[in-house]
Amino acid sequence: MNWYLKVFQNYAVFSGRARRKEYWMFTLFNMIFAIVAMVLDNVLGIAIDEVGYGPLYGIYALGTLIPGLAVTARRLHDVGKSGWMFLIVLIPIVGVIWLIVLLATDSNPGENQYGANPKEEFAFAPEQA
């Protein structure tokens, strides 16, 4: 949950790098909360019949759009790619697969043009009890 909150602390920060763990934990909790919002829309009877979700999900999706794009750009920076590489998803099927491969790839070791490796910074940080 701390990784999810960390993304919101960097709400619209598109510079720097994000670890794999930060990205995938944000994605996991984002999906869980989105599903909960959809279920609440249906339970409360405010879901739009044709689409299956309603205003709670819509508000949640709008609230997480910018942080989601920002953490994706930072994750791409971590593997040495520009945040604009996200637009590869516009290529049907192959683009989505390639983006998933990039997002699952381990960090570039050391510093790159986008900053220091967050994994190495974390490794040298004092241990928390």
Side-chain angles (χ1 to χ4, degrees):
M1 186 71 177
N2 289 333
W3 294 104
Y4 181 79
L5 297 174
K6 182 179 180 188
V7 171
F8 281 100
Q9 291 170 349
N10 297 322
Y11 190 85
V13 177
F14 286 83
S15 61
R17 296 169 66 169
R19 296 178 61 182
R20 262 189 308 193
K21 190 171 190 176
E22 178 182 349
Y23 176 79
W24 289 110
M25 287 303 209
F26 172 78
T27 301
L28 173 67
F29 280 101
N30 192 32
M31 290 179 67
I32 291 169
F33 294 145
I35 290 169
V36 167
M38 281 190 236
V39 169
L40 283 173
D41 279 337
N42 284 292
V43 168
L44 296 174
I46 55 177
I48 301 167
D49 292 330
E50 293 81 28
V51 292
Y53 56 85
L56 292 178
Y57 172 77
I59 291 167
Y60 178 78
L62 284 175
T64 58
L65 177 66
I66 301 290
L69 291 173
V71 75
T72 302
R74 290 194 313 270
R75 179 70 202 123
L76 288 170
H77 291 170
D78 197 39
V79 295
K81 304 292 182 192
S82 167
W84 291 104
M85 189 70 169
F86 177 74
L87 296 177
I88 198 168
V89 299
L90 297 175
I91 301 171
I93 302 170
V94 175
V96 173
I97 293 169
W98 185 244
L99 182 65
I100 291 170
V101 168
L102 289 174
L103 295 173
T105 302
D106 196 13
S107 304
N108 286 352
E111 192 168 321
N112 69 12
Q113 63 187 3
Y114 302 105
N117 187 341
K119 188 185 290 186
E120 292 170 0
E121 287 177 3
F122 185 74
F124 296 115
E127 290 293 321
Q128 297 177 357

